[in-house]
Amino acid sequence: MEVFKRRTFLITVLLLLIFAGNTLASDGNGVDTGITAWMLTSTALVLLMIPGLAMFYGGLVRTKNVLGTMMHSFAAMGIMTVLWVIFGYGMCFGPNTLGGWFGWSNDLLFLRGIDTEVNNGVPDYVFSMFQGKFAIITPALIAGAFAERVSFKGYAIFIALWGILVYNPLCHWVWAEDGFLFNMGANGAIDFAGGTVVHISAGISGLVAAIYLGARRGYPKTSMPPSNLVLTMIGAGLLWVGWFGFNAGSSVNSGLDTAQALTATQAAAAAGAITWMIIESFHQGKATALGFASGILAGLVAVTPAAGVVQPSGALALGVIAASLCYIAILIKNKLGYDDSLDAFGVHGVGGITGAIMLSFFIRKSWMIEAASLTESGTWTIMQQLGVQVAAVLISIVYAAVLTLIIMIVVDKTIGFRSPAKNEMQGLDASYHGEHGYGMLNAS
Amino acid sequence: MKLITAIIRETKLDEVREALIENEITRITVIRVSGHGQQTREHIYRGKRIVPGLIPKVKLEIAVNDDFVDITVNTIINSARTNENGEVGDGKIFITPMEECIRIRTGERGGKAI
C-alpha cells in the first residue's frame, strides 16, 4: 500500500513536470517569477532587520541616547544604499581588480549595466538590492560596540569608509564568482549568508573600535540601565523574522536549498535562545528577557554561514554551542573591562566565528561528496574543509581589524570620532539631533 | 538640616551628578518635571521657530546637614551652569529648612539619619 502510494505520487509529479515544461511561470524575459517573488520578499525581510536592529540597540541604551542609537541604523540605510547604487555593487560583484582586492566595472556604476540583466531567472536588480541590504546591516551592527559615545558626523564618515574598504572587498572575496575565498579548497570556503562577511567582520571591527575609543564615561562603575527592553524585544523579534530573508534568501532560489536554509535558521535560533535561558537561570537565578533575545541572536549568527550545509540536528548543535560561547564571552568581557557596549563582538564576533568554524563538523554528506568530486584525488575530508574555514575566518579577522584600526585613526584625527565629554553626558539625542526620544513622558 | 531643591537642565543631569558624587554628596532624588521660568529660547524644528511652552527640566532634591549646604550649592552652580557665564534657563536652587529626617530602616532621627 505504502509503495503503491509513493509510486502514484511519483508518477503524478512526473506528469506535472512534463506538462509544466511550457507553463513554468515566466514573464518572457527569462525571469522565473517564482524565484523572483521569493527574492523580492527576502529583500524586504532583510531591510526589515535594520529597523529591528535600531529597536534592539535603541532599547538597550540609556534614555538620552535612544534616538542617536537608532539613527546609527537608519543612517546606514541612507548612506550605504547610496554608495551601493553608485559603486558598491560593482566593487562587490564586478570582475577582479587590483589583483582581486575588490571588483570593478565601469558598467556597474550607478547600476547602469544591469538594467535588463537576468541571471538564473532573477533580475540583477533584485539580486543587487538583496545584497545591498547586507551592506547596510553590517556597519549598523558595529554601532553596538561603541554605542553612547561617538559623534554622529564621525560615525557617518566611518561607516562610509568602512563599507568601501572593509565590507566591499570582503564581500567580493567570499561571494563573487572570481573571489579568492569563493574558490578556496575543493568547493570554496563555506559562508552561506555572511558569517565572515557580515558577522565576523562587524564583530571584530566593533571590538577594535570599542578598545580604540575607550569606555563610556563612568563605565563600569555607573549603572547604565536599558531605556526600554520592550523595544529591544520587538527588535529581536523583527531580527528573527527578517533572518529568514537573510538566510533562506541567500539560496537565491525558491527550492530545496531554500527550505533547508529556512529550517536550519529556525532550529538554531530556538536552540540558542533556550540554551542562553537555561545557562542564565542556573548561573544568575533568573531568565532575563534580554538573555533570551541574546540567545536568539547567538543562534542566528552562528547558523548564518552554515544554513546551506547543515541539517536540523547540526543547526540545533550550532545554536547550543554558539549561545554557550557567547555567554562566556560576555562574562570574560566584564572581567577584561573593555566596553563593547551592546556586545557587538560578544554576540556577532564570537557567534560568527563559532558558526563558521564549527559548521565543518555538521556538513551534510551530499555536500562533501560534491566537494570530493571537484578535487583531483576525489577525496575531501572534514579536516580539510575545517582548514579552509579557519583560513577564511582568520583572513576576515585580520583584514577587518587592521583596516578598521586605520579608518578609526583617520576619522578620529581629522573630524573626530569620540564624542566630547560634554556631549556624551548630555546624550547623543540632545547633542547631535536636537531631539528627545522619550520627551513625551513629560508634560509640555 | 536643609532641603536643597535644584531645578536644572535635563542635559546637565549627568554633569551635576558626577560633580556631586566627586564631592561626596551621594544621596539625591531626581524627578523629571516640566515648567517655565524666564527661559524663552527659540528652537528651530522642522523649519519652524518654536518657543516651547512647558520646558522639560530635572529636579534634584538633596537633604543635607547645615555644614554641607555651601558645598552642595556651589557644586550644583558650577556644574549646571552653561559655559562660563551661564544662560537663561540654567535653573534655580531653593533652600528650605527641614524639620526632621527619619531613616525608615532604623527609626533614627535628625542629622545622623541623612
Side-chain angles (χ1 to χ4, degrees), chain B residues 67-82:
Chain B
D67 326 345
F68 278 90
V69 173
D70 286 343
I71 176 127
T72 308
V73 169
N74 290 336
T75 309
I76 295 174
I77 292 174
N78 291 333
S79 53
R81 191 179 272 167
T82 309

Side-chain angles (χ1 to χ4, degrees), chain A residues 64 217 425 435-436 442-443, chain B residues 10 14-15 18 33-34 45:
Chain A
K64 62 181 178 180
R217 234 186 131 67
M425 281 191 274
E435 295 167 305
H436 296 274
N442 261 87
Chain B
E10 281 182 306
D14 271 22
E15 259 177 272
E18 278 187 23
V33 293
S34 299
Y45 194 63

Side-chain angles (χ1 to χ4, degrees), chain A residues 62-64 217-218 222-223 422 424-427 430 433-436 438-439 441-444, chain B residues 10-18 22 32-35 45 53-57 81-83:
Chain A
R62 287 165 288 173
T63 49
K64 62 181 178 180
R217 234 186 131 67
T222 318
S223 99
K422 209 159 213 176
E424 192 183 333
M425 281 191 274
Q426 280 192 355
H433 307 286
E435 295 167 305
H436 296 274
Y438 291 102
L441 295 181
N442 261 87
S444 60
Chain B
E10 281 182 306
T11 50
K12 286 287 184 181
L13 176 61
D14 271 22
E15 259 177 272
V16 173
R17 260 181 56 214
E18 278 187 23
E22 231 165 72
R32 283 176 174 279
V33 293
S34 299
Y45 194 63
L54 289 169
I55 302 164
K57 295 277 170 190
R81 191 179 272 167
T82 309
N83 302 325

Side-chain angles (χ1 to χ4, degrees), chain A residues 60-65 148 216-227 334 339 341-342 424-425, chain B residues 13-14 17-18 21 30:
Chain A
L60 286 175
V61 296
R62 287 165 288 173
T63 49
K64 62 181 178 180
N65 296 324
E148 306 197 283
R216 287 167 289 178
R217 234 186 131 67
Y219 180 88
K221 239 172 138 188
T222 318
S223 99
M224 300 184 178
S227 63
N334 293 331
D339 185 14
S341 320
L342 311 180
E424 192 183 333
M425 281 191 274
Chain B
L13 176 61
D14 271 22
R17 260 181 56 214
E18 278 187 23
I21 290 169
V30 178

Side-chain angles (χ1 to χ4, degrees), chain A residues 112-124:
Chain A
R112 270 190 304 241
I114 61 170
D115 207 35
T116 53
E117 287 291 311
V118 176
N119 264 312
N120 302 323
V122 181
D124 273 9

Side-chain angles (χ1 to χ4, degrees), chain A residues 117-337:
Chain A
E117 287 291 311
V118 176
N119 264 312
N120 302 323
V122 181
D124 273 9
Y125 270 149
V126 176
F127 179 71
S128 160
M129 284 298 108
F130 176 69
Q131 286 293 340
K133 303 299 182 278
F134 289 65
I136 297 173
I137 199 163
T138 312
L141 288 172
I142 306 175
F146 48 61
E148 306 197 283
R149 59 180 182 287
V150 294
S151 86
F152 188 60
K153 196 162 63 173
Y155 171 78
I157 306 283
F158 171 77
I159 59 167
L161 291 175
W162 193 89
I164 295 167
L165 294 172
V166 182
Y167 183 83
N168 292 353
L170 270 177
C171 176
H172 180 74
W173 299 348
V174 177
W175 285 332
E177 276 169 16
D178 52 354
F180 81 93
L181 291 175
F182 188 87
N183 295 305
M184 192 187 249
N187 199 10
I190 299 173
D191 187 359
F192 189 70
T196 49
V197 181
V198 176
H199 296 290
I200 297 179
S201 71
I204 290 292
S205 300
L207 179 65
V208 170
I211 294 172
Y212 177 82
L213 289 170
R216 287 167 289 178
R217 234 186 131 67
Y219 180 88
K221 239 172 138 188
T222 318
S223 99
M224 300 184 178
S227 63
N228 188 347
L229 282 177
V230 175
L231 201 60
T232 298
M233 294 309 282
I234 300 171
L238 287 180
L239 282 167
W240 191 341
V241 171
W243 226 288
F244 287 112
F246 201 89
N247 283 2
S250 289
S251 60
V252 198
N253 195 357
S254 181
L256 207 52
D257 46 354
T258 320
Q260 290 166 344
L262 180 124
T263 309
T265 304
Q266 177 71 8
I274 63 165
T275 303
W276 199 295
M277 190 173 77
I278 292 168
I279 297 177
E280 200 178 33
S281 310
F282 279 107
H283 186 223
Q284 312 274 10
K286 280 181 185 161
T288 62
L290 177 57
F292 193 88
S294 308
I296 293 173
L297 288 186
L300 287 169
V301 168
V303 83
T304 296
V309 296
V310 297
Q311 288 175 312
S313 55
L316 288 174
L318 281 179
V320 171
I321 299 168
S324 315
L325 291 180
C326 291
Y327 188 88
I328 295 168
I330 291 174
L331 293 183
I332 294 174
K333 173 197 86 167
N334 293 331
K335 289 248 157 64
L336 294 180

